Amino acid sequence: MLLFFIRHGQTTANVKDQLYGQLEYPLTSLGRQQAQALQPLLEKFCFDRVYTSDLTRAVETAKLAIPGCAPIQTPLVREFDIGSIAPITRGDFNRLYPQVGGDFRPFGGEDIPAVAQRLRSFLAMLENDPVERVAVFSHSGTLKCMVRLVLGMDIHAARLQNHNCNVAVFRHTAEGWQLAAWNLAGQL
Amino acid sequence: MLLYLIRHGQAQSNATRHYAGQQDSPLTELGREQALALRPLLAGLRFDRVYCSDLCRAGVTRELALPGVEVTETPALREYEMGSLQGRYAPDVRKHYDLSNLDYSAFGGEDRTKVKSRLRPFLEEVEQSGCECVAAFCHGGILKTMLTLVLGDELPLGRLYNGNCNIAVYEYKDGQWSLHSWNAGCLAQTLPLTREEGL
């Protein structure tokens, strides 16, 4: 099975370089363009299933990127809940909370194991569904958590670019999940 | 600056599941098809410089994927020398040896330290070139080694799909490399994923 794990398009909060967790912010017009620009790539793959995080930015990206699909909405692939500090600019976050890492529990949010657990539930659901090609529209933190699950290690954010409408591809084999592609639609 | 590392198309050794290493092996029909499928992807890019491993499976891939350009051939981009493994049937070897960490020294071949030491001067040349966009046609082992250089030595290479005509794009900015894209090549063309060989 190939799992296309796709980050939503640019939101109004992305423009301000904010961390905003599960707060709802709409796509900008650039974000909608980015989603539409995925159409020619994604229509070649004829997905058996299309899932999306139930946050609006992901649902909208899904409907623009794969017109006519009725994506299955699931909270399992929502962004990290970062709790009461949302929204916060990245600069303020780095300055005020340098020790947080991925652990937002002090703010009533989630930590990495919690997000990993719901991702595992999502993957278990897919593994029990014998189809070939699945797309899921989700978020940057969730996607990085997926990478962590598959590779078993943290990758420094500065070394792995994770843009809006990044299309990452994971491949499920008898030996487990592999990273098959990153930023499939980018710059080519 | 963007560096496009491009793995050659399927070679006969890939199809028959034999280690080729620095022995040459011609492209199969599928390999030629994969290389040709790269042409429209690459045609829109303006490469300031094009490098190529001096092994012919990389050279032929380049001719089909990016014809009519000036090319610098270099042995620095060659696949791992795999010593006595070269020509051997991979599934048999894999029953006894785990080679996912790219260490062929037990067979008289290269290990990752050796290959990194021949890659570094190549990367420095690219870094100092002042180019904006560089292509390098090479091999699976080189693509994987570059990935560990950027993402870390502990990267579990067995958890990565590294297909023929994989295009890995790296960005060099403010003295640092980052991964921009992986396998943005054949997969984008929905050609069948080829089995990984030897690595």
Side-chain angles (χ1 to χ4, degrees), chain A residues 17 20 32 38 48 58 69 84 99 121 142 163 184 188:
Chain A
D17 199 17
Y20 51 110
R32 285 191 293 278
L38 292 182
D48 299 297
C69 79
S84 57
Q99 79 292 350
S121 302
T142 330
H163 301 293
L184 192 58
L188 278 184

Side-chain angles (χ1 to χ4, degrees), chain B residues 28-41:
Chain B
T28 59
E29 263 316 295
L30 174 60
R32 297 178 66 88
E33 204 183 302
Q34 289 166 334
L36 281 168
L38 293 186
R39 202 183 282 195
L41 297 182

Side-chain angles (χ1 to χ4, degrees), chain B residues 38-53:
Chain B
L38 293 186
R39 202 183 282 195
L41 297 182
L42 301 179
L45 301 167
R46 264 212 65 238
F47 292 109
D48 300 305
R49 235 181 250 186
V50 178
Y51 292 91
C52 191
S53 149

Side-chain angles (χ1 to χ4, degrees), chain A residues 44-56:
Chain A
K44 290 195 283 194
F45 290 101
C46 303
F47 294 104
D48 299 297
R49 304 269 185 267
V50 180
Y51 293 90
T52 178
S53 148
D54 57 346
L55 297 174
T56 330

Side-chain angles (χ1 to χ4, degrees), chain A residues 2 41 44-45 149-151 153 155 158-161 169 171 177-184 186-188, chain B residues 2 4 45 150-151 154-156 158-161 171 176-184 187-188 190 193:
Chain A
L2 290 182
L41 174 71
K44 290 195 283 194
F45 290 101
L149 266 180
V150 170
L151 297 182
M153 62 183 276
I155 310 276
R159 301 304 193 119
L160 184 63
Q161 298 184 21
V169 185
R171 184 182 182 216
W177 289 93
Q178 279 184 322
L179 175 62
W182 188 261
N183 202 18
L184 192 58
Q187 209 99 22
L188 278 184
Chain B
L2 292 177
Y4 291 67
L45 301 167
V150 175
L151 298 185
E154 64 276 34
L155 195 66
R159 303 284 193 94
L160 286 158
Y161 176 75
E171 185 171 11
Q176 191 168 260
W177 288 98
S178 61
L179 180 69
H180 179 281
S181 305
W182 179 257
N183 238 347
L187 197 58
T190 72
L193 298 191

